[in-house]
């Protein structure tokens, strides 16, 4: 027999990083290129099927705009899971994500499962996102910051990436977070966020 557990999940992150788009992709397999900013918060539910059980996510998709920040504690206070989103093409959004993680560690349920999601990887050149990083010489290793308009040694346009995967992943590991790179546009990595979180939610 299947057990269905309710899991309250909150999404947090800077405005326009793609929180609502990730939820829309997870819930309806859709993408809207000109999605309007969330006002306050939005509530959606979606089932998530694991081998041995089904979870029902109760999702609070918060507004990233500064003027709504005072509302956030209402949504994360009793959350069992959180997805903190940043945009891989915007370095400052990772810094913002880190401040949300600090707030969660200080004020949320101590057992909360937190995932960090670097969204919009479709904007990063395919070669940069799909191939694993090749070994680099000492000199090259220092030059990891992509500048728009530059080209790589192979002549391809350099990606818009501002946050190296390794940097965000190292931070996530040190802070005890699950880590994903996603595209709400193509759907890449989106389902994984919710299934990997689900696996970490204890069966009571
Ligand atoms: P707030 O509600 O204001 O906090 O923003 P949000 O984090 O919910 O962002 P939203 O999902 O509204 O997306 C902002 C913009 O980025 C929209 O125009 C989306 O279509 C676009 N967008 C979201 N995710 C992606 C993605 O993975 N790739 C690309 N290319 N665009 C994306
Ligand atoms: Mg939104």
């Amino acid at each position: 027999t299947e057990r269905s557990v309710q899991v309250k999940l909150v999404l947090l992150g800077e405005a326009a990083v793609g929180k609502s788009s990730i939820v829309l992709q997870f819930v309806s397999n859709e993408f809207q290129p000109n999605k309007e900013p969330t006002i306050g918060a939005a509530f959606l539910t979606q089932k998530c099927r694991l081998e041995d059980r089904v979870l029902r996510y109760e999702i609070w998709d918060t507004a990233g705009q500064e003027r709504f920040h005072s509302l956030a504690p209402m949504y994360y206070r009793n959350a069992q899971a959180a997805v903190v989103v940043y945009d891989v093409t915007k370095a400052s959004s990772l810094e913002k994500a880190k401040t949300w993680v600090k707030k969660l560690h200080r004020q949320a349920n101590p057992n909360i499962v937190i995932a960090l999601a670097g969204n919009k990887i479709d904007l990063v050149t395919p070669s940069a996102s799909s191939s694993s990083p090749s070994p680099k010489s000492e000199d090259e290793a220092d030059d990891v910051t992509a500048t728009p308009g530059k080209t790589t040694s192979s002549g391809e346009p350099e990606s818009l990436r501002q946050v190296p995967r390794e940097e965000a992943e190292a931070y996530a590991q040190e802070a005890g977070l699950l880590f994903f790179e996603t595209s709400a546009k193509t759907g890449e990595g989106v389902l994984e966020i919710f299934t990997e979180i689900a696996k970490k939610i204890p069966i009571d």
Side-chain angles (χ1 to χ4, degrees):
T1 64
E2 273 181 342
R3 303 154 52 86
S4 179
V5 203
Q6 322 256 58
V7 178
K8 188 179 161 189
L9 180 147
V10 65
L11 280 104
L12 297 163
E14 188 171 279
V17 293
K19 298 177 294 299
S20 300
S21 299
I22 286 171
V23 177
L24 184 66
Q25 184 62 247
F26 175 52
V27 171
S28 339
N29 293 300
E30 280 173 53
F31 176 70
Q32 294 175 0
N34 293 304
K35 193 143 183 56
E36 68 291 348
T38 304
I39 302 300
F43 180 74
L44 297 96
T45 67
Q46 174 67 9
K47 281 186 180 165
C48 183
R49 191 170 292 275
L50 293 183
E51 271 177 30
D52 55 337
R53 58 196 166 125
V54 176
L55 287 80
R56 183 172 176 273
Y57 277 118
E58 299 185 331
I59 302 169
W60 287 100
D61 169 25
T62 66
Q65 287 176 32
E66 209 69 42
R67 62 191 167 118
F68 297 116
H69 281 185
S70 59
L71 301 175
M74 273 196 329
Y75 302 108
Y76 64 67
R77 193 168 295 134
N78 299 311
Q80 292 142 281
V83 180
V84 181
V85 183
Y86 69 96
D87 174 347
V88 296
T89 71
K90 195 175 176 196
S92 63
S93 69
L94 178 62
E95 297 314 306
K96 188 75 215 178
K98 290 179 183 177
T99 71
W100 282 120
V101 170
K102 275 191 203 128
K103 280 195 183 123
L104 289 171
H105 280 154
R106 248 187 262 129
Q107 295 167 38
N109 176 343
N111 299 319
I112 191 168
V113 178
I114 308 174
L116 179 69
N119 191 40
K120 309 198 185 182
I121 44 163
D122 58 282
L123 297 177
V124 160
T125 53
S127 56
S129 66
S130 59
S131 65
S132 52
S134 51
K136 282 177 177 152
S137 73
E138 288 281 311
D139 291 349
E140 287 172 305
D142 288 332
D143 185 26
V144 292
T145 316
T147 310
K150 265 199 199 170
T151 53
T152 60
S153 50
S154 58
E156 291 167 18
E158 195 161 330
S159 88
L160 294 169
R161 183 187 284 274
Q162 283 190 0
V163 181
R165 181 186 174 106
E166 305 75 48
E167 179 194 322
E169 202 166 18
Y171 160 71
Q173 191 164 16
E174 155 197 314
L177 321 173
L178 295 168
F179 176 71
F180 306 90
E181 285 193 334
T182 61
S183 168
K185 185 173 180 180
T186 67
E188 185 175 348
V190 171
L191 192 57
E192 283 84 345
I193 303 175
F194 295 90
T195 52
E196 292 307 310
I197 288 175
K199 290 179 191 168
K200 293 246 171 186
I201 301 288
I203 312 173
D204 38 25

